[in-house]
């Protein structure tokens, strides 16, 4: 079956490279959560998107702060950018989103993949959310579907559904660059886990193979880096060609069944992410906290002996 969405993405990337219309990208790396937040803008119109932002969170005290987000805000204002989009590649399990705070300061629409509704349904049960918790994605300003096209100023962009790590994972191709979230890591580190509720290693493999059909020169921006053994610096940019040639888990030639066997065995050895319980509760709400209780205080739940 012809993947017309992928063909559109390939055409967009090739055209952007041929015309020299490529986005400017500045990355802010949050070492406590190993998260890369990308600010991407059209150099002509200076319209911008912020992808996978981080809210600072001290779990022992339950306190939040905004140093990471404020650094992004300072850059946006210094560069004279107008923020149109606050994009999430998925509902993260390792950090809290700062999207509502950034929206308050800079504007823009908070967006994620339409399958967030599936994630909300699953984790709504995990956290025994009340009926008042909407499971229709309405906490977000926009839900992208696979192949949906949008613009960043005069620069074309398209959303690609790449499930496997979670059901709602998206990659955003903007100009000649693609932002893949947790679907891929640097070639020397491999791929994301697929054992969270709704995750699936076989689906992840097929999503990665789809991404690897993009032009080899496509710039790839990752959401995380953890320094592979023998590497002393954090890195969050690579190319489709480099991933296809050298990704230690899923380079060209790795069979689907072999990948699934490896991924499932590896996932079985991994502990839960340190911030998964607070992160997911917040991120399925588009970065908002649960409503305050009678005493005016907002609370996050800690389910015991469930996950």
């Amino acid at each position: 079956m012809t993947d017309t969405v992928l063909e559109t993405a390939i055409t967009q990337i090739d055209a952007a490279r041929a015309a020299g219309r490529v986005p400017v990208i500045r990355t802010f790396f949050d070492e406590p959560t190993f998260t890369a937040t990308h600010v991407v803008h059209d150099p002509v119109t200076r319209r911008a998107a912020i992808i996978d932002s981080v809210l600072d969170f001290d779990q022992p005290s339950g306190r939040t702060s905004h140093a990471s987000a404020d650094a992004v805000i300072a850059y946006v204002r210094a560069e004279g950018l107008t923020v149109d989009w606050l994009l999430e590649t998925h509902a993260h399990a390792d950090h809290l989103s700062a999207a509502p705070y950034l929206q308050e300061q800079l504007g823009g629409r908070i967006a994620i993949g339409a399958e967030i509704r599936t994630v909300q349904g699953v984790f709504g049960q995990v956290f025994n959310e009340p009926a008042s918790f909407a499971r229709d994605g309405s906490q977000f300003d926009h839900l992208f579907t696979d192949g949906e096209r949008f613009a960043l100023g005069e620069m074309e962009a398209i959303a690609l559904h790449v499930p496997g790590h979670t059901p709602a994972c998206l990659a955003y191709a903007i100009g000649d660059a693609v932002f893949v979230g947790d679907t891929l890591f640097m070639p020397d580190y491999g791929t994301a886990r697929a054992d969270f509720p709704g995750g699936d290693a076989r689906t992840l493999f097929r999503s990665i193979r789809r991404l690897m059909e993009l032009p080899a020169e496509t710039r790839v921006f990752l959401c995380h880096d953890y320094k592979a053994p023998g590497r002393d610096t954090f890195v969050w940019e690579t190319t489709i060609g480099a991933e296809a040639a050298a990704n230690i888990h899923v380079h060209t030639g790795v069979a689907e069944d072999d990948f699934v066997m490896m991924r499932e065995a590896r996932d079985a050895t991994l502990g839960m992410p340190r911030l998964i319980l607070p992160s997911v509760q917040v991120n399925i709400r588009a970065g908002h906290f649960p409503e305050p209780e009678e005493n005016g205080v907002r609370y996050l739940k800690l389910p015991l002996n469930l996950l």
Side-chain angles (χ1 to χ4, degrees):
M1 180 182 295
T2 301
D3 189 336
T4 58
V5 169
L6 189 61
E7 289 182 349
T8 300
I10 291 169
T11 298
Q12 170 193 298
I13 291 166
D14 285 341
R17 288 180 56 81
R21 287 296 308 277
V22 300
V24 176
I25 300 161
R26 169 69 185 276
T27 299
F28 295 80
F29 191 74
D30 180 61
E31 190 167 344
T33 63
F34 305 101
T35 302
T37 296
H38 307 293
V39 182
V40 49
H41 77 266
D42 174 4
V44 175
T45 65
R46 308 197 74 75
R47 312 297 293 199
I50 301 172
I51 304 174
D52 293 334
S53 61
V54 175
L55 180 71
D56 300 311
F57 178 63
D58 180 65
Q59 188 167 13
S61 68
R63 291 192 173 275
T64 62
S65 57
H66 302 106
S68 296
D70 285 340
V72 172
I73 292 168
Y75 169 77
V76 167
R77 289 175 173 164
E79 293 295 313
L81 307 180
T82 300
V83 174
D84 291 334
W85 293 101
L86 301 160
L87 302 175
E88 303 287 354
T89 55
H90 62 294
H92 307 275
D94 38 38
H95 69 273
L96 282 65
S97 171
Y101 176 73
L102 291 171
Q103 186 178 55
E104 178 183 298
Q105 298 293 318
L106 299 172
R109 302 171 71 192
I110 302 173
I112 200 168
E115 288 301 319
I116 188 62
R117 293 173 290 209
T118 300
V119 178
Q120 288 175 329
V122 170
F123 281 99
Q125 292 183 327
V126 168
F127 294 110
N128 195 31
E129 295 286 358
S132 59
F133 169 67
R135 293 160 171 82
D136 59 1
S138 58
Q139 300 89 340
F140 297 83
D141 299 314
H142 188 78
L143 302 180
F144 280 108
T145 57
D146 185 45
E148 185 173 348
R149 302 177 72 177
F150 61 108
L152 205 58
E154 298 177 2
M155 190 165 294
E156 293 186 345
I158 187 170
L160 301 173
H161 187 212
V162 287
H165 174 60
T166 80
C169 287
L170 283 187
Y172 298 99
I174 302 174
D176 74 327
V178 62
F179 301 84
V180 298
D182 289 15
T183 303
L184 282 166
F185 297 140
M186 290 299 294
D188 60 0
Y189 202 86
T191 57
R193 65 195 297 169
D195 61 332
F196 295 151
D200 180 75
R202 194 170 298 278
T203 302
L204 178 62
F205 178 88
R206 294 174 182 177
S207 292
I208 292 170
R209 284 288 178 256
R210 189 185 196 205
L211 287 173
M212 286 183 175
E213 291 296 316
L214 296 173
E217 301 83 3
T218 304
R219 293 185 290 165
V220 177
F221 290 86
L222 314 174
C223 186
H224 296 288
D225 187 55
Y226 303 96
K227 290 184 182 175
R231 175 157 55 81
D232 296 327
T233 58
F234 291 110
V235 188
W236 46 78
E237 180 181 354
T238 182
T239 66
I240 288 294
E243 292 282 9
N247 187 286
I248 59 171
H249 293 166
V250 71
H251 58 80
T252 301
V254 172
E256 180 174 318
D257 287 345
D258 291 338
F259 173 83
V260 171
M261 185 180 303
M262 176 282 299
R263 188 68 266 172
E264 290 180 348
R266 183 178 175 86
D267 289 349
T269 70
L270 301 177
M272 296 290 284
R274 180 174 60 90
L275 294 180
I276 183 172
L277 296 176
S279 294
V280 172
Q281 287 176 81
V282 171
N283 294 337
I284 59 176
R285 292 175 162 86
H288 297 283
F289 292 102
E291 291 299 312
E293 298 192 6
E294 294 83 355
N295 60 357
V297 178
R298 300 174 190 269
Y299 291 88
L300 296 173
K301 293 181 178 180
L302 183 68
L304 299 179
N305 303 316
L306 179 61
L307 297 177

